[in-house]
Amino acid sequence: MIEQFFYSSLLLKATFITYLLAMVSYIMVFFNAKVVWQNAGKYLFTVAFALCTILIIDRWIEAGRPPFKSLYESLIFACWTVSLVNLFVEYKLKVRLLGSITSVAVVVIFLYALSNRDVEIIALPPALQTWLFIPHVVAYFLAYGALFVGALCAGLYILLPQGLKGHRVISDAQRIDLSHYTYSITKFGYLFLTLGLLLGAWWGQTAWSNYWGWDPKENWALITWLLFTAYLHFRNVKTLSEKQLAWMVIIGTGAIIFTYLGMEYLPTAEDSIHIYIQD
Amino acid sequence: MNNTSADHGITLRGFGDSSLIVAIALIAAVVAEQAIRWGESGSFGMMGGLLVSLLIVAAWFYTFFKPLKRLIGTPHFAVTSLLFLAGATALGTFVKQHASAVYYQDTFGVFWGRMIEFSGLQDVFHSWWYITLFLLLAGSLIVVSLTRKFTRANLSFHLAHLSPIVILFGVWLDFFYGMRGIMHMEVGEKNNVVHAFHRNTNYLSGELELDFSLRLDQFDSEKFDPDYKVQIWKTRENKDPEIVAAVPVNLNRPQRVHSTDVSFRVVDYFPNYGWDYEAAVPLEEMEPKDPILIARVKSNQVEETIQLRSNYARYNSIVDPYDQSNIEFAWTMNDRHRALIGGGEKITPHFLRLIDSTGQETAIEATVGTRYKLPGTTSEIHLSRFYDNLVYNDEKGEYFDGDKSGQNPAIEVVLRGHEEPVKFYLFSNFSGHQSPEIARARMLTGFDFIYNYYSGQGMLIVGEDRSIYHIRNGSVEKDELRIGYPYLFEGRLDAYFLVTHLFPDAAQVNSIPTNLSDDPVNPLAIVEVSSPGKETLEEYLMPPRGNKDALLKIEGHPYFLALESTREQETKFWKSHVSFLDKQDNVLNDGIIQVNQPVKFRGYRFYQTDFDPRRSNYSGIGVSREPGLGIIYIGFGMMVIGVLMMFYFREQSVNIGTRKMPGS
């Protein structure tokens, strides 16, 4: 991984280091409850997000195609969407504290991306040469980013059902209903999960004359969608406790991570046409 | 307990009851499907099987009608079928699909193997029980939708909840009235046979004929343009080397090699290089130590640059294999050359050239019957036979003279003076030809043997007096050697020999790379490798193309550099140009089919789905007819709009944000 980092562009190094600094600032809040750490985390994370945006645009120009083809590229894009949702949560919903967890997650994803860094830029094969490529991927990664942040929020709720009452940094805001925010974020993610799934089917029809091929990746996309559909209904029929609902979001997001990265472990993987091929 | 309302007082019991009904429905579906199969295979017949399975389904329906009626309109039932569906779908990815019975029994044991087959787990997505889940879900959604008033406030609810039914209806239409298949096309061929896939699988199930034909007029495929980069590779013990980085060719930008103090930079780059030559001293002052002649030769479409070295007997002549023109370069003439050009009207002599281990040449006229003792050895050679056109007979395992065409002139040589005589054949047209016998003869004597036969024509270039001798059917003409002038081969307008450079001493000549064009077909990078305290090296880096010497090793470290591109191996597009023909072969329409760009004709869609790397004129055209596709897309739109409205544009929000937290 160090070797991969060594050969990376200056922009990538700057992006990663800024994310790392944001993470450190965010975590400092736990040890030294000064607003300055919280703000430093927020602003550094914003700068890192801006750098990540430039990194993606730079890659787009260098590759001459949307940079969503390889596992590495998609992981960097995942960092971007997770950051986007996190910033929305920070600035709009004003949910503090989530940033500390999200920043750790983004750094982990970034490290995973680095360890899978593409040595060569792969050209876009004919199957991916369509206008559907961009909306399908963007919809899915917005969904993945949101649901991932939603799951982190749900995890935080399970750990701290009362919020961080009395904490000096947090207490200036009113007590946070983390379960409610989990729902808001998940709702946003679900909308794009639906859009991504349907755009995928449309694309399948255009490329392979088949909107649904029962491919493992397609099936798992359906499973994740069904799980979050169930979550939304469970929430409305009020049979499960808030804690159980939080667990459902975590399980659903677990299924998403499996859909994204775990398909090669399935016994049916060899029949799939969607799995990232690694050397 | 009150299970009739979606909003009030429903306990977990609703999920329990729903699960029970769904589970029993699944079992009924499994048994019913087995009943059909049993009917088909036994004497009972298809109708009997159908009757039994209908009875099973009816019995389930009758027994569970009341609780089903009570539950089906509840979100509990819908969510239960949803979760069952998720679980079943997951099962279909954990168990390998469409494998053989032997595979399941080997993997899971005999009992579970049989259970998998019985329950349809080997083909989950086409089993009755899986489809039953969709039916239950659709039924639930229909009831849910019907029991809620169709008002503007409920619009988003209805859009979202009716959309799966609309989609499933479209799927149902496709399943029963649609088809998918593939047409195997060759360029120039017309065809109306579709190899149809079994419903929603990629397994072929039969053929059908379209009432029009497809003709593949042209099939193009193109690869991406090459994109050469300097790759850094790491060598590993007992493993293949691993690529660690690919650096774009940016002139003069230093790049350090990780974990070393070595850095390199590309100081010059030629996308398509050739060589130019420059003499270090004026030609007149150059001593003729190692004369070299550089020329372009074009023969039968192949054009290449060659170098001839007068002092090296093995490298001073070449043969054009198409008409056996022998071109030889000599700085000064020797006896053999004088005999050759002095031939006049007499038959052109041919020679056996004997080159000893020091590179010294002796030539003897190659007349049958000649015996010659190799100087400094105890060996004697005997030229035992001449062939105008030597042919090998596979059946008899022997050589014979095919005809008098002179296509493949050869001599048979017998080497004596050793334990056993060695017989070998030398070909004038293939001076580099090797055989075990030739190798043995060389080993025993230390001599190389070259046979030259100027049968039809040839050229002798003499460097010292700058002349070129044309030998044509025994007559010889002298000409002045002109640099840059294409000397045509007799009777072949497209083939020539053109001298570009003539230097008396190769050691005094620098070869300089030059760019022939901007096409990145044959690149060359000049790379400067430096590390502190060591001499900076300048090296040429070219695409290896199988040649290990083209790799640049980083001395003292487990790294090497390579100039390489991977892109041009990747396909940019496949394009099938097709025409649609009626029975009288009139062209009804035409189009270009590409991946992601299907062409529609008479309700069918034609896709670019297959190609064969070994058959450039084959194209696999996917064919499909989906009468439900439009309806499915409407369902897609309904779903997205419904969910969007429900979440963000609904006046009456559904309890969002109004709920109390537990413990508050």
Side-chain angles (χ1 to χ4, degrees):
Chain A
M1 207 180 303
I2 295 162
E3 191 165 15
Q4 305 285 10
F5 188 71
F6 178 87
Y7 287 116
S8 302
S9 67
L10 195 65
L11 183 59
L12 188 140
K13 285 174 184 155
T15 309
F16 178 67
I17 288 167
T18 317
Y19 269 128
L20 210 61
L21 291 174
M23 181 186 86
V24 172
S25 305
Y26 270 129
I27 289 172
M28 280 305 287
V29 179
F30 290 104
F31 306 102
N32 185 342
K34 281 182 182 156
V35 181
V36 65
W37 291 119
Q38 179 72 29
N39 284 341
K42 190 165 87 174
Y43 295 131
L44 280 170
F45 198 86
T46 312
V47 173
F49 173 74
L51 288 173
C52 192
T53 312
I54 300 170
L55 184 68
I56 290 167
I57 293 169
D58 180 62
R59 177 75 170 195
W60 195 318
I61 294 165
E62 193 191 353
R65 55 158 179 80
F68 313 132
K69 164 74 184 79
S70 65
L71 178 61
Y72 160 74
E73 289 168 339
S74 74
L75 285 164
I76 294 291
F77 191 50
C79 280
W80 188 83
T81 56
V82 170
S83 306
L84 180 74
V85 177
N86 183 61
L87 286 174
F88 178 80
V89 171
E90 282 264 1
Y91 284 97
K92 189 89 200 246
L93 304 183
K94 301 205 190 309
V95 181
R96 306 285 156 79
L97 201 68
L98 194 58
S100 54
I101 302 180
T102 315
S103 60
V104 174
V106 169
V107 166
V108 170
I109 300 170
F110 216 104
L111 283 173
Y112 188 51
L114 259 181
S115 68
N116 283 285
R117 186 174 159 271
D118 297 332
V119 172
E120 293 274 10
I121 293 180
I122 308 151
L124 211 56
L128 301 189
Q129 295 169 18
T130 162
W131 69 271
L132 280 158
F133 180 45
I134 297 171
H136 170 73
V137 176
V138 170
Y140 253 125
F141 277 83
L142 277 177
Y144 282 13
L147 295 171
F148 187 69
V149 175
L152 295 179
C153 197
L156 204 58
Y157 171 76
I158 291 167
L159 292 173
L160 308 164
Q162 303 294 325
L164 251 192
K165 207 174 179 183
H167 192 281
R168 267 180 289 168
V169 173
I170 310 298
S171 58
D172 59 334
Q174 285 166 354
R175 220 190 56 203
I176 312 157
D177 183 350
L178 285 170
S179 179
H180 168 61
Y181 287 122
T182 303
Y183 176 64
S184 297
I185 300 165
T186 306
K187 222 168 59 167
F188 176 83
Y190 179 80
L191 175 65
F192 283 96
L193 196 68
T194 309
L195 193 62
L197 181 70
L198 299 181
L199 285 171
W202 187 356
W203 186 357
Q205 178 66 37
T206 318
W208 303 300
S209 73
N210 203 355
Y211 42 81
W212 200 261
W214 301 113
D215 184 279
K217 190 125 185 166
E218 295 170 10
N219 290 335
W220 274 91
L222 177 67
I223 292 165
T224 51
W225 186 82
L226 290 170
L227 288 176
F228 281 102
T229 309
Y231 162 79
L232 293 169
H233 286 85
F234 273 125
R235 202 166 195 284
N236 276 347
V237 297
K238 297 178 194 164
T239 36
L240 299 189
S241 71
E242 297 282 340
K243 216 168 192 172
Q244 286 167 322
L245 285 171
W247 274 112
M248 269 208 86
V249 175
I250 293 170
I251 291 166
T253 304
I256 277 179
I257 295 170
F258 182 63
T259 309
Y260 179 24
L261 302 171
M263 288 297 102
E264 59 193 282
Y265 304 111
L266 285 174
T268 44
E270 64 194 67
D271 307 324
S272 179
I273 48 177
H274 293 297
I275 294 174
Y276 291 106
I277 295 158
Q278 292 290 297
D279 293 329
Chain B
M1 178 182 131
N2 176 6
N3 273 340
T4 53
S5 159
D7 292 339
H8 304 291
I10 295 175
T11 65
L12 277 174
R13 184 94 192 266
F15 291 112
D17 291 349
S18 301
S19 302
L20 194 68
I21 292 177
V22 173
I24 295 172
L26 295 188
I27 293 167
V30 169
V31 177
E33 189 174 6
Q34 286 304 321
I36 282 266
R37 267 200 232 162
W38 163 67
E40 271 175 345
S41 59
S43 56
F44 203 54
M46 171 80 180
M47 286 308 290
L50 194 65
L51 202 69
V52 174
S53 57
L54 275 176
L55 274 173
I56 294 164
V57 174
W60 169 79
F61 206 69
Y62 178 77
T63 317
F64 295 99
F65 183 69
K66 273 188 184 166
L68 182 67
K69 198 182 159 195
R70 179 165 53 83
L71 279 170
I72 195 160
T74 65
H76 302 73
F77 190 83
V79 171
T80 305
S81 359
L82 214 79
L83 287 176
F84 265 88
L85 197 58
T89 309
L91 218 53
T93 69
F94 292 138
V95 179
K96 199 171 155 57
Q97 300 288 286
H98 305 285
S100 65
V102 178
Y103 166 83
Y104 294 113
Q105 297 196 5
D106 281 356
T107 314
F108 300 99
V110 175
F111 175 76
W112 289 109
R114 279 188 190 150
M115 283 303 285
I116 282 167
E117 286 220 63
F118 180 80
S119 59
L121 270 176
Q122 82 283 26
D123 188 8
V124 169
F125 305 112
H126 305 97
S127 67
W128 283 27
W129 63 267
Y130 190 74
I131 293 161
T132 301
L133 284 170
F134 276 102
L135 292 176
L136 291 173
L137 184 64
S140 173
L141 285 171
I142 289 171
V143 176
V144 163
S145 299
L146 289 180
T147 48
R148 192 178 279 229
K149 275 206 187 92
F150 285 87
T151 62
R152 251 189 89 177
N154 284 337
L155 180 62
S156 61
F157 178 90
H158 284 302
L159 280 176
H161 288 83
L162 284 173
S163 63
I165 298 165
V166 173
I167 294 169
L168 288 175
F169 177 66
V171 172
W172 177 80
L173 278 181
D174 285 352
F175 193 83
F176 287 104
Y177 302 104
M179 58 77 63
R180 278 178 59 239
I182 186 166
M183 294 176 85
H184 301 300
M185 304 292 298
E186 300 267 348
V187 174
E189 183 202 70
K190 74 171 184 152
N191 189 358
N192 70 339
V193 178
V194 179
H195 301 270
F197 293 125
H198 189 68
R199 282 171 184 149
N200 210 289
T201 66
N202 287 324
Y203 297 90
L204 291 171
S205 70
E207 288 179 3
L208 61 95
E209 289 186 8
L210 301 174
D211 57 4
F212 55 88
S213 296
L214 211 64
R215 190 182 59 206
L216 183 61
D217 298 321
Q218 199 182 326
F219 182 59
D220 302 331
S221 102
E222 199 177 295
K223 306 273 187 192
F224 282 96
D225 291 336
D227 175 29
Y228 282 96
K229 289 182 179 159
V230 180
Q231 298 180 333
I232 305 173
W233 290 77
K234 190 189 214 169
T235 52
R236 300 183 292 181
E237 264 181 56
N238 305 324
K239 270 181 177 175
D240 286 336
E242 177 193 32
I243 182 167
V244 289
V247 185
V249 177
N250 290 320
L251 289 190
N252 294 317
R253 183 178 292 178
Q255 170 69 54
R256 225 184 77 205
V257 179
H258 180 250
S259 76
T260 71
D261 56 1
V262 179
S263 58
F264 68 88
R265 61 191 183 107
V266 177
V267 290
D268 212 349
Y269 182 71
F270 305 90
N272 184 19
Y273 81 96
W275 295 105
D276 207 356
Y277 302 87
E278 205 178 65
V281 295
L283 282 182
E284 311 82 64
E285 295 173 19
M286 215 181 264
E287 293 283 315
K289 281 183 183 159
D290 178 11
I292 180 169
L293 179 144
I294 299 151
R296 307 257 334 137
V297 186
K298 185 165 181 252
S299 175
N300 272 45
Q301 268 102 62
V302 185
E303 186 173 359
E304 59 181 340
T305 300
I306 57 149
Q307 295 186 355
L308 297 176
R309 309 281 285 272
S310 165
N311 288 1
Y312 300 90
R314 275 213 159 272
Y315 304 108
N316 64 11
S317 69
I318 61 155
V319 178
D320 171 13
Y322 294 97
D323 71 343
Q324 292 94 54
S325 284
N326 192 318
I327 303 161
E328 191 177 340
F329 168 55
W331 185 253
T332 49
M333 281 199 270
N334 60 25
D335 291 348
R336 175 167 60 83
H337 299 129
R338 278 186 279 273
L340 182 70
I341 63 167
E345 288 304 309
K346 97 180 217 219
I347 295 165
T348 309
H350 44 128
F351 296 98
L352 177 64
R353 297 164 58 196
L354 308 161
I355 299 142
D356 68 16
S357 51
T358 64
Q360 208 60 44
E361 175 185 320
T362 318
I364 54 168
E365 203 166 336
T367 38
V368 174
T370 301
R371 285 169 195 275
Y372 184 79
K373 190 169 173 298
L374 292 172
T377 69
T378 56
S379 312
E380 185 192 65
I381 51 169
H382 174 211
L383 308 187
S384 49
R385 205 179 154 186
F386 170 74
Y387 299 85
D388 271 300
N389 183 18
L390 185 133
V391 181
Y392 184 73
N393 186 322
D394 270 335
E395 280 176 26
K396 290 184 181 170
E398 62 184 34
Y399 292 101
F400 68 101
D401 213 357
D403 48 43
K404 294 287 158 201
S405 67
Q407 260 186 11
N408 186 22
I411 47 167
E412 186 181 272
V413 184
V414 183
L415 176 77
R416 292 180 214 278
H418 303 275
E419 278 178 31
E420 276 177 38
V422 182
K423 185 158 90 177
F424 56 95
Y425 298 85
L426 296 171
F427 305 91
S428 175
N429 295 347
F430 308 99
S431 54
H433 171 77
Q434 289 299 331
S435 69
E437 291 77 20
I438 294 175
R440 182 162 169 74
R442 187 197 292 145
M443 196 193 73
L444 292 170
T445 62
F447 275 79
D448 270 336
F449 305 88
I450 299 175
Y451 172 52
N452 279 165
Y453 181 49
Y454 294 79
S455 59
Q457 55 174 307
M459 295 178 200
L460 171 67
I461 296 155
V462 182
E464 194 177 39
D465 50 348
R466 296 202 150 234
S467 49
I468 177 165
Y469 294 88
H470 298 277
I471 302 139
R472 294 195 187 96
N473 302 318
S475 71
V476 178
E477 274 173 47
K478 186 180 174 181
D479 199 353
E480 186 195 345
L481 177 69
R482 283 166 284 175
I483 305 289
Y485 178 81
Y487 294 96
L488 298 181
F489 291 116
E490 182 116 322
R492 293 162 71 212
L493 286 175
D494 60 333
Y496 62 79
F497 178 82
L498 182 152
V499 178
T500 57
H501 300 85
L502 177 65
F503 298 109
D505 186 8
Q508 303 272 1
V509 178
N510 296 321
S511 52
I512 307 154
T514 168
N515 218 11
L516 301 177
S517 73
D518 286 334
D519 298 332
V521 284
N522 193 24
L524 169 80
I526 303 178
V527 180
E528 196 185 86
V529 183
S530 55
S531 61
K534 280 187 189 161
E535 199 188 342
T536 299
L537 298 171
E538 206 173 81
E539 306 264 11
Y540 288 157
L541 199 55
M542 295 165 246
R545 291 175 187 157
N547 174 18
K548 277 193 168 175
D549 294 337
L551 305 171
L552 173 53
K553 287 179 189 66
I554 306 283
E555 288 306 322
H557 301 284
Y559 293 100
F560 63 86
L561 306 180
L563 185 66
E564 191 61 286
S565 162
T566 49
R567 275 210 162 179
E568 72 276 13
Q569 293 151 15
E570 294 172 49
T571 298
K572 197 170 181 182
F573 61 72
W574 295 282
K575 279 182 187 169
S576 292
H577 301 251
V578 295
S579 299
F580 299 96
L581 312 172
D582 66 10
K583 294 224 160 63
Q584 286 74 43
D585 284 354
N586 299 312
V587 175
L588 303 168
N589 207 340
D590 57 20
I592 300 172
I593 305 172
Q594 274 185 273
V595 179
N596 277 312
Q597 290 172 34
V599 166
K600 260 198 232 178
F601 185 72
R602 289 197 180 162
Y604 292 91
R605 286 182 181 79
F606 296 89
Y607 296 81
Q608 183 64 54
T609 43
D610 203 8
F611 78 105
D612 186 340
R614 287 156 303 174
R615 283 158 66 204
S616 60
N617 60 346
Y618 166 83
S619 174
I621 303 284
V623 188
S624 76
R625 195 184 60 225
E626 283 113 344
L629 196 60
I631 295 169
I632 290 169
Y633 286 164
I634 290 170
F636 284 6
M638 283 170 65
M639 185 177 277
V640 172
I641 293 168
V643 172
L644 182 72
M645 283 175 66
M646 227 163 142
F647 284 169
Y648 297 108
F649 299 100
R650 201 150 67 135
E651 291 298 316
Q652 295 168 300
S653 109
V654 200
N655 302 324
I656 294 166
T658 61
R659 285 142 47 94
K660 295 273 185 291
M661 293 187 32
S664 64

